Structure formats: C-alpha cells, structure tokens
C-alpha cells in the first residue's frame, strides 16, 4: 500500500523530505495512524517553522524546513 501516511513515513525515514506542511485541526473524530508512528529515523528531525496561517475554522497550516 502506498500513499497517505505510509508514503510520507517512508520518505521521512529515508531522509528525502526537505520541507513539511502540516494542517492541524481543532477536533478530529475517529482514529488513524500517526504520521511518524512506527518509523525509524536515523536522527532526530531538526525543523524550523517558517510560515503559519490560521483559518476561520480554527485550523492552522504550518510550514517547516528541515535544518
């Protein structure tokens, strides 16, 4: 299975992601796999927040660069 969290986790594990975009919602109903759950990173991610945007809904978009 590829796509979604599975693909992103594999790319992160291989160190192939230079920029991360997250959207955080105030309330999420249900369950699912967490983005970095079950992966073995070679080193701790060093991320720098470079942009954030708050939406009327209360959600927040965050943009990080890998250091």
């Amino acid at each position: 299975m590829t796509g979604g969290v599975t693909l992103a986790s594999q790319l992160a594990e291989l160190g192939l992601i230079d920029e991360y975009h997250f959207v955080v919602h105030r309330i999420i109903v249900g369950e699912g796999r967490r983005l970095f759950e079950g992966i073995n990173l070679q080193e701790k991610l060093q991320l720098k927040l470079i942009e954030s945007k708050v939406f009327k809904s209360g959600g927040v978009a965050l943009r990080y660069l890998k250091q």
Side-chain angles (χ1 to χ4, degrees):
M1 175 192 236
T2 61
V5 174
T6 303
L7 180 60
S9 295
Q10 291 171 349
L11 293 172
E13 191 169 14
L14 293 171
L16 297 176
I17 300 176
D18 295 327
E19 186 171 322
Y20 289 84
H21 294 241
F22 299 108
V23 177
V24 181
H25 299 275
R26 294 187 306 168
I27 300 173
I28 296 178
V29 179
E31 296 181 17
R33 185 169 167 230
R34 295 176 185 248
L35 179 59
F36 297 114
E37 182 177 57
I39 66 171
N40 183 22
L41 297 174
Q42 297 296 323
E43 57 187 41
K44 185 176 179 179
L45 287 176
Q46 299 294 320
L47 301 176
K48 180 179 179 180
L49 178 65
I50 58 168
E51 185 179 3
S52 65
K53 180 178 180 179
V54 179
F55 299 100
K56 290 180 185 179
S57 66
V60 181
L62 305 166
R63 183 174 161 217
Y64 291 90
L65 283 181
K66 185 176 169 186
Q67 299 294 304

